[in-house]
Amino acid sequence: MTAQPTEATLPAAAELSSSTAKLKRRGRGNSENDRAKVPWRTTLRRDWQLYSLLVLPLLFLLVFKYLPMFGNIIAFRRFRPGGSIFGDEWVGFKYFEMFINDGKFWQVFQNTVILGGLSLLIVFPMPIILALLLNELRSPKFKKLVQTVSYLPHFMSIVIVAGMIFQLFSMQGTINQIVEAVGGDPVSFMQRPDWFRTIYIGSEAWQTVGWGTILYLAALTQIDASLYEAARIDGANRWKQTWHVTLPGIRGTMVTLLILNIGSFMAVGFEKVLLLYNPLTYPTADVISTYLYRIGIVSSNFSYATAIGLFESLIGLTLILSANAISRRLVGTSLW
């Protein structure tokens, strides 16, 4: 026979259970406090192998990212080759006034903004679309094949990619051979400014779209399968499941990468533009990074180039801070 609880024992049992819960909360709080009170020297001594892995990355950041910042002082000082590395005399905002009043700089600035905007509008969404399409495939072999084919261009050198572009779009290239075969006249794609942006954005999408899907595919695996089952029970088709379940599930990844891309909005690919452009395509192809290369390295006007580079960096910093603040306020996701 099992003893039934009486009215006299119920308050005692309730009091005992509440006391036990208090002890558990108190014990948990004490353990958290004890963990928080562990001195950092003890943690460093205990996990020194893990912390030692940070030495090389921190040295890299210090030597190649932070120490060069001191060189920005020559944007306000006249620098002469062979003189002091921090400039010979103070000139204030002279070099900033020079590029603000220079019409050539604003043409380069406009080209940079247009190429950066096209990259955000066209190149950025393509990995998301490809990841969603790959997620719908039911054949594992075909999915692996598509992934492999789309990943390969990322591992090609930019020099090789530029060579392939010249091979395709030159006067005797593959595209013009096809045009002539159908009775058309060959087009000088690489010498016409109006074709440069199309070629650049197309090659950028081809080279980066496959590699960009990796993060999104990893994010898709973290979505709870029960959400899709609940959506199907509610009568949602595949499109509605994608819109109401899949996209919200990877929203954090999309917003994070979007903020990072906006931060590098002005840093349009220097290497590819340098390899593809020529004086005939300067009106649409010349960007800030290539302009800085010609002004600073080729012409040795280091102070003027530093002033332009500092201006570009301030714009990038403003963009990433603004995008992060807007995302935190509207979406609730941000980098910090």
Side-chain angles (χ1 to χ4, degrees), residues 30-326:
N30 290 337
S31 62
E32 293 176 355
N33 292 334
D34 294 340
R35 192 182 302 114
K37 291 179 181 178
V38 176
W40 65 270
R41 292 184 180 87
T42 303
T43 305
L44 182 61
R45 186 165 52 250
R46 183 185 59 203
D47 301 325
W48 66 269
Q49 296 95 337
L50 296 176
Y51 287 105
S52 64
L53 298 176
L54 294 173
V55 174
L56 288 179
L58 290 177
L59 283 176
F60 175 83
L61 289 175
L62 178 64
V63 174
F64 294 101
K65 300 296 182 180
Y66 285 93
L67 288 181
M69 289 184 182
F70 292 102
N72 287 326
I73 190 64
I74 65 174
F76 307 94
R77 299 176 65 87
R78 188 188 307 277
F79 175 83
R80 295 184 177 89
S84 172
I85 61 173
F86 296 112
D88 297 326
E89 59 179 305
W90 182 267
V91 295
F93 291 95
K94 172 185 175 181
Y95 296 110
F96 292 89
E97 295 174 355
M98 285 176 59
F99 74 73
I100 288 175
N101 297 322
D102 185 6
K104 176 65 176 177
F105 168 77
W106 291 110
Q107 180 185 359
V108 171
F109 183 83
Q110 179 182 356
N111 293 337
T112 306
V113 171
I114 292 175
L115 281 180
L118 290 175
S119 297
L120 278 179
L121 292 175
I122 299 175
V123 179
F124 176 76
M126 293 185 70
I128 303 174
I129 298 173
L130 180 59
L132 294 176
L133 294 176
L134 290 174
N135 190 53
E136 297 297 324
L137 291 178
R138 293 295 175 261
S139 174
K141 292 183 178 179
F142 184 68
K143 182 177 181 180
K144 291 181 180 179
L145 175 63
V146 174
Q147 287 179 289
T148 303
V149 172
S150 61
Y151 291 169
L152 284 177
H154 174 79
F155 298 99
M156 292 183 181
S157 169
I158 296 181
V159 177
I160 296 177
V161 173
M164 294 174 63
I165 293 173
F166 277 109
Q167 183 66 31
L168 287 171
F169 294 98
S170 64
M171 289 296 295
Q172 301 299 325
T174 306
I175 302 299
N176 276 321
Q177 290 179 10
I178 297 175
V179 171
E180 291 179 341
V182 296
D185 296 326
V187 181
S188 55
F189 294 102
M190 303 307 297
Q191 285 75 40
R192 292 179 56 175
D194 53 332
W195 276 100
F196 180 84
R197 291 168 182 164
T198 303
I199 295 173
Y200 175 86
I201 296 298
S203 63
E204 191 73 11
W206 172 73
Q207 191 176 8
T208 61
V209 63
W211 185 256
T213 60
I214 293 178
L215 290 176
Y216 296 110
L217 289 174
L220 287 171
T221 60
Q222 303 300 318
I223 300 176
D224 191 355
S226 62
L227 297 176
Y228 291 103
E229 184 177 353
R232 284 194 296 269
I233 293 174
D234 291 339
N237 55 25
R238 296 301 303 175
W239 169 250
K240 290 184 178 179
Q241 291 176 36
T242 301
W243 184 260
H244 296 287
V245 179
T246 306
L247 289 178
I250 62 174
R251 182 177 60 183
T253 303
M254 289 191 298
V255 171
T256 300
L257 294 178
L258 178 61
I259 294 173
L260 293 175
N261 283 330
I262 290 176
S264 58
F265 181 82
M266 303 296 294
V268 179
F270 165 72
E271 296 89 351
K272 184 178 291 185
V273 175
L274 185 66
L275 292 171
L276 294 179
Y277 82 155
N278 57 71
L280 294 176
T281 58
Y282 278 177
T284 58
D286 199 14
V287 294
I288 290 180
S289 56
T290 54
Y291 183 67
L292 288 178
Y293 169 76
R294 295 200 311 275
I295 294 297
I297 304 300
V298 178
S299 302
S300 299
N301 196 346
F302 299 105
S303 293
Y304 184 51
T306 303
I308 298 176
L310 186 59
F311 175 73
E312 178 189 7
S313 301
L314 290 176
I315 292 178
L317 178 62
T318 303
L319 287 174
I320 195 170
L321 291 177
S322 302
N324 190 73
I326 294 173

